[in-house]
Amino acid sequence: MGDKDLLLSVDSVESASVKKKNVGSRLQIPKIPWYMAGGFVLFWASLFLAVVVPLFYRLPEANTLDDVGKGVFIAERAQENLYEFAKIGTKLVGSDGNENKTVQFILRELALIKANVLEEYFDMEIDHQLAYGSYVRSGAQYQYQAVQNIVVKITSKGSTSDSYLLVNSHFDSKPTSPSVGDAGHMIVTMMEVIRIITTSKIKLQHSIIFLFNGSEENSLQASDGFITSHKWAPYCKVVINLDAAGSGCKELLFQTGPNNSWLVKYYKDYAEHPFATTMAEEIFQTGIVPSDTDFDIFSEYASLVGYDIGLVCNGFVYHTKYDRYDIIPRASIQNTGDNLLALVKALANAPELADTTETGKAVFFDVLGLFFISYSADSGTALNYAVAGAAIILVYVSLLRIADVSNVTSAQVLSWFVLILVLQVVAFVLGLALPIVVAYMFDKYGLSLTYFSTPALPLGLYVCPSLVGLALPSVIYLKLQKNEKLSYAHQLQMALHGHAIVLSILGIAINYYGLRSTYVITWTLIFYVIPLAFNLVTTLQDRGFSWTGIVKVIQVCPFLYNSYLFYTFIVILTPMMGRFGQTTNPDLIISALAALGTILSMGFLILLINVSRRSGLILVALLAVSAATIYIASSTEIGFPYRPKTNVERVYYLHVRRTFYEYDGAISKDESGYLFNFQDRRGSAPLVEAKVDLTGMVSMASDCEKYMMCGVPYPDSRYVKSRLNGTWLPREIPIEPATDKPLELLNKTVLEDGITVRFEFKINFTDHSTLYIQPYEDATITYWSLLESYLSSTPPYYLFFTYGVDDSPVSLILEIQKSNGDFNVPVTQIGVGRQFMHTRGDITAQQFAETFPDCAVLIDWPADYHRYIF
């Protein structure tokens, strides 16, 4: 028995009549009006707006004080705490707002909670830590002095477990920011969770540590201080880290583990409002997201496992003065509180907490926030291969079925399908490439970020071109081909099969590479395999266009999920594009995301416009929408990226006075200026257009070639990484120098070996300072009082220093070896940069700041830099 006999064991009179009707009937294009096909496209757009967007922003009803005593999270009470937190204002490390007012606020609230603890059920301890320490990270040494942590320990009566759950967030802020979203929202949520737990008659197997850390924004220093020196730190096994890259809305689980898949199971079982995806985890771990969290410290330096959770909506206000109380809905706090309370109670009774050595990753994702799916990475790998293989097999079976029904050989059908497959590869490439071309051209003409304030623009700029690219090859082929042996319906079905094969091959390749995010392709394919199998079994495949009905119905599932997933990433990443720096074209990232989302959401559906005789008109309409959007984005104010208060341009700059001392103490350079570190692709162009006087601004690249670390005081590692793109604007009126000397040489001694000199210095740092050290080529530092491990790095060495409540000078000892023992000539350069972040600067700087447009948010402060040669 041949292949056809095996596949067509049922050959009824009905199927025979179908054969006669289909063979040679290229004229069987249904007479569906073009506007009906256009309505088909609009239907999916409407479905996105009616279902996906509302579910993305959906939040639970907030509990009020009327619900006290029910053992539930009370958002109203947490919101009252948040109001008090917000009134404090900026909470920069070293400031009165952070070191006194916020610490006192948290301690006061915790004392009120402790006064109401059910003492027959719980012990509650509060510890106030002053942390000192240092560590090496990202090529620099970070040293901190008396940064503050407030640590709370909750223990059930009778608990003997020595495995603790750690819940962490931070209360400090960046300059100018009141930090209500990042991370006051999380601080008050933690306080309310403590309040609920300690007033509930429940039993917890493990103790819970709540860490309110006071220096996260300074390169995660307070979390390092806790994990390396606090008395409770050695017992912490699992961490729930709470942070923010935005304000309001839902919080995203964007990292878990590492390599502890049981954590995903607990999130699945207990998180009341799941919002998570493996794809977010893999994207974050690539390092392209311009943020770090305390989770990195806990996992890298203490091998803790757990969750990294953060607010991700409205990142436009992140680290700005607009991160305020009035933009956080109470329901957002309720969402976070419900999830945190449930997870804390579950993990505090989890037997796995005592042994976190389990290995293994998981595939996980929420479906429109309604439910959560997870399975092991190994199962995911097997599923990915199985679904791709099933798709390929069923397509092959379908092709054989088409050959039998059409009375042609299977070889002929396969040869025609190869051509269609090539066209679908072209379609996939066009669907991805056309939006990227648009993004490239906009950037080429200085028009990047046009969508920054107008979320609808990517639909015309990227989604419509992607749809055109996906549909164009099949439209041209089906209109021009002369194949009279296959019905039009079968040829259209083969086009969909071609797209399925493209996705299958792509899924196999990505799965082989090891990405768990392959699940997105796999589940898209599952919802094509299902209708394909159904149509084969029911013979609907052989009955004209009957097979399209089940395809449309089933495709609702992947459309809703994929559009939801990629909409999530576009919402999260669009604000981040405003701080990606000047070297990256952010439009390429957003266009690629929009294109991939379109391909996976509409890849099968857009091909169905070919059921209309006027499918070309649909493409013309899509092109018209795209052209109109390109015009609006490039030629009207709608395409201007920035808006006052809501979608601002971040402008970071320092008012710098830099002084260079030569070996004999003479001053060779003493100048003042503004050091700019532009955060987005457009750089200074919008400011020039707004008539800000930037005359004389020059690139720092030449100074970076001449001077150690470009001869300026960088406040953090992001400035260092982008230093070649920094710019300097000289100012004529000098900045008044600080009255104290930043560096004092206390002693210089040549040691007994005759080839080593010992320097002893006293450094008067501010609460945010930088130290650079670069020995000359013929000299080597053999010992210093900094971290010994950092000495093995390649010079220049640079240190970021912070203090909280202890402003004592820092002692520095250097021992430098030189083979000829000649120490009457220079052996090293030392640079001291000091940030004065708590002041607005002099009157000249304030007048300069007033010339900036309302759509620019200024993050600026004075700084000085002193370069010495010894």
Side-chain angles (χ1 to χ4, degrees):
M1 184 179 289
D3 287 341
K4 295 179 185 177
D5 294 322
L6 285 170
L7 294 168
L8 296 172
S9 59
V10 179
D11 191 5
S12 64
V13 175
E14 177 183 318
S15 63
S17 64
V18 169
K19 293 178 187 179
K20 293 178 182 178
K21 186 165 58 176
N22 286 343
V23 173
S25 59
R26 184 177 174 273
L27 298 178
Q28 283 194 19
I29 306 175
K31 297 180 180 180
I32 297 176
W34 68 270
Y35 53 83
M36 290 294 290
F40 174 74
V41 176
L42 291 175
F43 166 79
W44 297 101
S46 301
L47 191 64
F48 171 77
L49 295 174
V51 177
V52 173
V53 175
L55 286 177
F56 177 82
Y57 289 104
R58 188 183 66 149
L59 293 169
E61 183 178 352
N63 293 327
T64 67
L65 294 175
D66 294 336
D67 299 301
V68 171
K70 298 179 181 179
V72 295
F73 185 90
I74 308 298
E76 182 179 5
R77 193 160 51 189
Q79 190 180 41
E80 290 174 355
N81 288 153
L82 187 61
Y83 179 74
E84 296 299 319
F85 181 91
K87 285 199 305 183
I88 296 171
T90 301
K91 303 165 186 69
L92 194 64
V93 173
S95 70
D96 179 60
N98 193 68
E99 308 305 333
N100 297 313
K101 293 178 180 177
T102 304
V103 168
Q104 291 166 9
F105 161 73
I106 295 173
L107 289 173
R108 182 174 65 250
E109 290 300 319
L110 291 174
L112 292 173
I113 294 171
K114 186 174 182 179
N116 293 285
V117 169
L118 292 178
E119 294 182 351
E120 63 271 31
Y121 286 88
F122 297 101
D123 290 322
M124 176 176 172
E125 301 175 64
I126 302 172
D127 186 66
H128 184 187
Q129 180 193 22
L130 296 182
Y132 294 75
S134 59
Y135 56 94
V136 176
R137 195 164 186 267
S138 302
Q141 177 177 331
Y142 297 90
Q143 184 166 319
Y144 51 92
Q145 186 169 290
V147 297
Q148 300 189 77
N149 285 321
I150 300 170
V151 194
V152 179
K153 180 183 178 186
I154 308 296
T155 306
S156 280
K157 293 288 188 180
S159 172
T160 59
S161 172
D162 59 359
S163 297
Y164 298 170
L165 169 66
L166 173 64
V167 183
N168 170 76
S169 192
H170 68 94
F171 56 82
D172 66 311
S173 76
K174 283 289 191 179
T176 77
S177 176
S179 64
V180 181
D182 179 28
H185 178 128
M186 299 305 189
I187 292 294
V188 301
T189 299
M190 287 166 58
M191 289 195 296
E192 182 63 17
V193 167
I194 295 173
R195 185 181 287 113
I196 298 300
I197 288 177
T198 56
T199 55
S200 301
K201 297 179 180 180
I202 58 175
K203 184 74 174 177
L204 302 177
Q205 180 182 349
H206 309 290
S207 296
I208 310 169
I209 304 297
F210 290 88
L211 171 59
F212 301 82
N213 92 62
S215 181
E216 187 267 355
E217 299 294 3
N218 282 6
S219 301
L220 322 175
Q221 292 169 341
S223 55
D224 180 81
F226 170 80
I227 209 66
T228 57
S229 60
H230 196 275
K231 60 184 178 181
W232 294 328
Y235 304 102
C236 295
K237 301 296 178 61
V238 173
V239 60
I240 301 176
N241 185 63
L242 303 169
D243 212 326
S247 190
C249 197
K250 301 185 288 189
E251 72 285 346
L252 175 72
L253 170 62
F254 59 91
Q255 280 194 103
T256 187
N259 293 325
N260 273 247
S261 56
W262 65 270
L263 289 164
V264 175
K265 180 181 182 299
Y266 272 81
Y267 185 86
K268 177 182 180 179
D269 292 343
Y270 294 100
E272 296 186 22
H273 316 293
F275 186 36
T277 169
T278 295
M279 191 172 173
E281 180 175 273
E282 292 190 327
I283 287 177
F284 188 84
Q285 291 176 352
T286 63
I288 70 168
V289 176
S291 295
D292 292 315
T293 74
D294 287 319
F295 187 83
D296 299 331
I297 294 292
F298 296 130
S299 61
E300 291 175 17
Y301 293 90
S303 299
L304 268 63
V305 300
Y307 307 105
D308 206 1
I309 299 172
L311 299 167
V312 291
C313 296
N314 194 18
F316 301 104
V317 303
Y318 173 72
H319 285 178
T320 74
K321 62 183 179 181
Y322 298 115
D323 184 8
R324 302 182 305 205
Y325 169 82
D326 57 359
I327 62 172
I328 299 180
R330 182 182 295 175
S332 175
I333 303 174
Q334 186 69 50
N335 193 93
T336 306
D338 287 344
N339 284 338
L340 182 62
L341 180 61
L343 282 172
V344 166
K345 289 196 295 187
L347 291 170
N349 283 307
E352 293 90 346
L353 205 71
D355 181 10
T356 59
T357 57
E358 176 189 338
T359 59
K361 295 183 178 181
V363 176
F364 57 90
F365 54 95
D366 74 287
V367 180
L368 286 85
L370 300 175
F371 57 92
F372 192 79
I373 294 175
S374 67
Y375 44 87
S376 71
D378 290 339
S379 298
T381 298
L383 178 66
N384 297 337
Y385 283 131
V387 171
I392 293 170
I393 291 170
L394 285 175
V395 165
Y396 179 71
V397 171
S398 177
L399 294 176
L400 295 182
R401 180 75 160 261
I402 289 172
D404 185 81
V405 170
S406 304
N407 284 334
V408 295
T409 66
S410 57
Q412 287 177 298
V413 171
L414 290 174
S415 65
W416 295 327
F417 179 70
V418 169
L419 174 59
I420 290 174
L421 178 60
V422 170
L423 290 174
Q424 288 309 118
V425 171
V426 173
F428 184 94
V429 172
L430 287 176
L432 185 61
L434 290 181
I436 292 175
V437 169
V438 173
Y440 172 79
M441 295 305 295
F442 265 71
D443 181 70
K444 181 179 179 179
Y445 291 101
L447 296 172
S448 58
L449 291 171
T450 55
Y451 50 82
F452 194 67
S453 300
T454 311
L457 287 180
L459 292 174
L461 292 176
Y462 309 134
V463 174
C464 288
S466 182
L467 290 173
V468 170
L470 286 170
L472 184 61
S474 62
V475 168
I476 293 174
Y477 172 77
L478 292 172
K479 294 299 182 186
L480 298 181
Q481 57 85 25
K482 301 298 183 181
N483 191 334
E484 300 292 343
K485 296 181 179 180
L486 293 182
S487 72
Y488 187 87
H490 280 150
Q491 292 176 68
L492 177 58
Q493 190 173 47
M494 289 166 66
L496 271 72
H497 290 349
H499 184 69
I501 296 298
V502 171
L503 291 183
S504 298
I505 295 171
L506 183 63
I508 290 170
I510 297 176
N511 196 45
Y512 180 79
Y513 186 72
L515 291 180
R516 288 169 289 146
S517 297
T518 311
Y519 85 86
V520 182
I521 294 175
T522 295
W523 283 93
T524 303
L525 277 172
I526 285 174
F527 289 101
Y528 185 70
V529 167
I530 291 172
L532 176 54
F534 181 85
N535 287 326
L536 282 169
V537 171
T538 61
T539 70
L540 284 177
Q541 169 176 298
D542 308 329
R543 303 177 186 179
F545 291 91
S546 300
W547 58 269
T548 61
I550 187 66
V551 170
K552 294 173 186 176
V553 171
I554 298 297
Q555 280 295 304
V556 169
C557 296
F559 171 81
L560 290 176
Y561 177 73
N562 288 328
S563 57
Y564 166 81
L565 176 67
F566 284 90
Y567 180 72
T568 296
F569 283 114
I570 289 173
V571 168
I572 294 172
L573 291 177
T574 294
M576 292 184 184
M577 299 301 102
R579 52 192 180 91
F580 248 56
Q582 291 181 264
T583 57
T584 300
N585 177 4
D587 292 15
L588 294 180
I589 297 172
I590 298 299
S591 64
L593 281 172
L596 286 171
T598 303
I599 291 169
L600 292 168
S601 301
M602 292 289 295
F604 292 109
L605 292 168
I606 193 62
L607 298 177
L608 296 180
I609 66 169
N610 289 291
V611 299
S612 168
R613 287 185 180 276
R614 296 286 183 261
S615 55
L617 289 177
I618 307 302
L619 298 186
V620 171
L622 291 171
L623 285 172
V625 171
S626 185
T629 307
I630 289 173
Y631 172 78
I632 291 170
S634 61
S635 304
T636 72
E637 285 299 311
I638 294 175
F640 183 70
Y642 315 112
R643 303 289 186 274
K645 297 183 179 180
T646 57
N647 307 76
V648 293
E649 178 187 14
R650 301 162 188 269
V651 183
Y652 278 81
Y653 66 95
L654 311 181
H655 330 153
V656 177
R657 180 160 183 169
R658 56 178 182 170
T659 307
F660 289 12
Y661 300 92
E662 297 304 319
Y663 183 67
D664 60 1
I667 296 175
S668 60
K669 182 185 286 288
D670 184 0
E671 65 177 357
S672 299
Y674 302 109
L675 176 65
F676 284 87
N677 178 28
F678 291 107
Q679 298 286 295
D680 67 45
R681 184 69 163 178
R682 292 205 176 193
S684 62
L687 303 180
V688 173
E689 293 173 9
K691 309 302 182 185
V692 178
D693 186 5
L694 301 179
T695 305
M697 178 180 284
V698 295
S699 169
M700 288 296 299
S702 60
D703 277 10
C704 292
E705 293 179 358
K706 291 187 291 184
Y707 306 122
M708 172 181 60
M709 297 301 290
C710 310
V712 287
Y714 294 116
D716 55 44
S717 58
R718 288 202 67 195
Y719 264 87
V720 172
K721 291 176 182 177
S722 61
R723 61 186 181 274
L724 294 179
N725 296 304
T727 55
W728 175 266
L729 178 63
R731 57 175 263 182
E732 295 180 0
I733 301 175
I735 297 171
E736 286 294 321
T739 56
D740 61 333
K741 296 180 179 179
L743 183 71
E744 297 181 36
L745 176 61
L746 302 179
N747 194 20
K748 177 182 178 181
T749 307
V750 178
L751 301 186
E752 293 181 358
D753 62 7
I755 59 172
T756 305
V757 63
R758 178 186 178 95
F759 294 98
E760 297 178 32
F761 300 100
K762 182 178 78 170
I763 309 176
N764 296 304
F765 282 134
T766 60
D767 48 42
H768 294 74
S769 296
T770 311
L771 175 69
Y772 307 143
I773 302 174
Q774 184 169 23
Y776 282 88
E777 291 183 0
D778 59 347
T780 304
I781 299 176
T782 56
Y783 169 81
W784 61 11
S785 55
L786 303 177
L787 273 180
E788 182 180 353
S789 61
Y790 187 45
L791 191 56
S792 60
S793 302
T794 302
Y797 307 103
Y798 53 99
L799 173 145
F800 294 112
F801 175 83
T802 304
Y803 71 72
V805 292
D806 178 1
D807 62 356
S808 302
V810 173
S811 296
L812 172 66
I813 298 174
L814 291 180
E815 291 186 2
I816 300 177
Q817 192 172 93
K818 193 176 177 186
S819 58
N820 62 10
D822 182 5
F823 298 112
N824 295 315
V825 294
V827 293
T828 188
Q829 298 182 67
I830 297 179
V832 180
R834 302 184 297 179
Q835 314 293 322
F836 302 93
M837 292 184 173
H838 313 298
T839 64
R840 295 181 58 196
D842 59 22
I843 188 65
T844 302
Q846 294 178 39
Q847 291 173 346
F848 178 60
E850 291 173 359
T851 66
F852 285 78
D854 292 340
C855 61
V857 60
L858 306 186
I859 305 169
D860 64 301
W861 58 86
D864 65 14
Y865 177 72
H866 297 260
R867 196 281 316 266
Y868 302 89
I869 297 178
F870 296 99

